[in-house]
Amino acid sequence: MQSFPKDFIWGTATSSFQIEGASNEAGKGFSVWDAFTRIPGKVLNGDTGDVACDHYHRFEEDIRLMKQMGVKAYRFSISWPRILPTGTGAVNQAGIEFYSKLIDCLLANDIEPWVTLYHWDLPLALEFEKDGWLGENISDIFADYAAVCFAHFGDRVKNWITINESWVIAMLSYGQGIFPPGRVSNIEPYQVGHNLIKAHAKAVDLYRTKFQPSQKGRIGIANNCDWREPLTDSAADKAAAERAIEFFLGWFADPIYKGHYPASMVERLGDRLPTFTEEEVKMIKGSSDFFGLNHYTTMYAADSTGLDTKDSVFGNGGISEDQDVQLSVDPSWKMTTMNWSIVPWGFQKLLEWIDQRYDHPEIIVTENGCSFDHEVVGGQVNDQERIDFYKGYLAACQAAISNGANVKGYFAWSFMDNFEWAFGYSRRFGLTHINFETLERTPKASAKWFAEFIRNNKG
Ligand code: PNW
């Protein structure tokens, strides 16, 4: 494999609810995930985020391990209810102090903080009082919270990500109902998506006008997308695959890079798709300093016009009928324990698709990784499958760069095993193994491999 550019950003990523624990400590308010995990049947084995990886108390040890891994950057998220327990109003000083110490410790170890403002742990009070992401003023409320973070941490944080995976929030929380608030609708996801885009743009506008001139950082958003490969060479299947990616990534990236939703969505959704005012378009267009991408897998896409795909297991959130796309996988593709197929070439194609559609943006891969459930044996975790995954996906990333894609950074998901949402602790994405009973950390073979890879690619 060719080496990566010299200034390439190598990092690992996590999120607050998935690792911190201390869910009811030091003034923190509850989030929608604290509540959702209490509803019987929502999370596998009844797992909660009460302790998680106990990162809140062990962050220094974790940063030591990161340092050993040689990463130059660490992407983590701020828990909104740890900063503002009810979502608005008074600041919880202990929350500010926690993230302040975390940031200082990273910088002292030459690790650049990449901070996500929202990785799904909405303050519960906002769900009760303001209808969460469906609420009319939620985008302003989010921008106010963002400003608190810029004001307290922006002197040291130079890389901001507003929202993690708007698609997941819209589709899994309001389409399929498998994430909080657990709603099932084919209208609400589009309203929520609309509010998320406005929230992102308002936070960016505030950063650019009030903070960026003195703090001189960058701000963007992290969207997720799988690759969709046409099942056959037919024009109908090619159009279906394109449409599927537009409904996935174009939904959120087109407004930011082009100022409007994809035509395929406008045509198919009619008045279920809200519209932006001219003033909003001005604020939204150009509101990302880099293209954050989370990528995990690939599926085939076929045109399913006229077929009932509503109940398909591969439907997108139970509202796949909006797209008329039938998804499938090749049975020869190897799968992770999430049942996500390992298809490195899909990653290359997606990076090149983004490069072309959005006119050569700077791409930061804000998440890529896999779940395999290897345990500790004789003090070691031999996760060869994870090493093979990273080898394949990093080669694909390199190939996209060789073909001209402007990829500038890569964050492995995840630094350590953690709370994998509806799957609880039963899925392991980490480069570091966690024993969830003793909370002992053990770097996996993949962590050593990744460290070596970074070393060899420093140029
Ligand atoms: C992302 N899907 O979630 C998140 O950013 C992480 O918090 C999470 O741990 C990681 O990927 C692995 O799941 C996703 O259904 C959840 O397509 C679901 C989907 C995609 C990403």
Side-chain angles (χ1 to χ4, degrees), residues 15 18 119-120 164-165 167-168 172 179 224 226 248 294 296 338 340 367 413 418 420-421 429:
S15 88
Q18 294 180 275
H119 201 125
W120 311 348
N164 182 68
E165 299 190 345
W167 181 90
V168 167
L172 305 195
F179 286 4
N224 65 306
D226 300 346
F248 206 145
N294 296 356
Y296 286 95
M338 289 292 278
W340 293 350
E367 282 181 28
W413 183 272
N418 57 51
E420 180 49 37
W421 309 114
F429 274 89

Side-chain angles (χ1 to χ4, degrees), residues 56-169:
Y56 184 81
H57 296 112
R58 293 168 199 245
F59 71 92
E60 283 162 322
E61 177 185 353
D62 291 335
I63 292 171
R64 258 199 309 278
L65 291 173
M66 267 176 233
K67 177 86 179 165
Q68 277 171 24
M69 228 183 263
V71 297
K72 298 188 210 172
Y74 172 49
R75 175 181 175 229
F76 64 93
S77 79
I78 293 178
S79 160
W80 186 345
R82 204 180 280 293
I83 299 289
L84 302 173
T86 60
T88 61
V91 170
N92 174 37
Q93 203 49 42
I96 301 286
E97 272 158 31
F98 168 68
Y99 292 108
S100 224
K101 279 191 288 181
L102 175 65
I103 291 162
D104 289 344
C105 186
L106 287 167
L107 293 173
N109 285 283
D110 292 315
I111 299 172
E112 197 57 31
W114 281 66
V115 179
T116 309
L117 291 168
Y118 185 71
H119 201 125
W120 311 348
D121 39 4
L122 186 79
L124 185 59
L126 293 180
E127 191 60 52
F128 284 138
E129 296 165 12
K130 309 281 181 191
D131 258 345
W133 285 106
L134 284 168
E136 219 179 309
N137 303 318
I138 191 69
S139 56
D140 292 311
I141 295 171
F142 174 75
D144 289 346
Y145 154 65
V148 173
C149 295
F150 301 146
H152 284 93
F153 311 124
D155 55 336
R156 289 154 290 161
V157 173
K158 303 302 165 190
N159 300 282
W160 293 100
I161 293 164
T162 53
I163 291 166
N164 182 68
E165 299 190 345
S166 296
W167 181 90
V168 167
I169 301 166

Side-chain angles (χ1 to χ4, degrees), residues 42 51 111 157 167 190 202 226 238 331 382 401 416 449:
K42 297 297 186 189
V51 178
I111 299 172
V157 173
W167 181 90
Y190 301 114
K202 283 181 185 174
D226 300 346
K238 283 183 182 164
N382 286 315
I401 294 172
M416 58 186 161
W449 179 87

Side-chain angles (χ1 to χ4, degrees), residues 367-378:
E367 282 181 28
N368 176 235
C370 56
S371 68
F372 285 107
D373 304 337
H374 309 89
E375 288 291 343
V376 181
V377 181

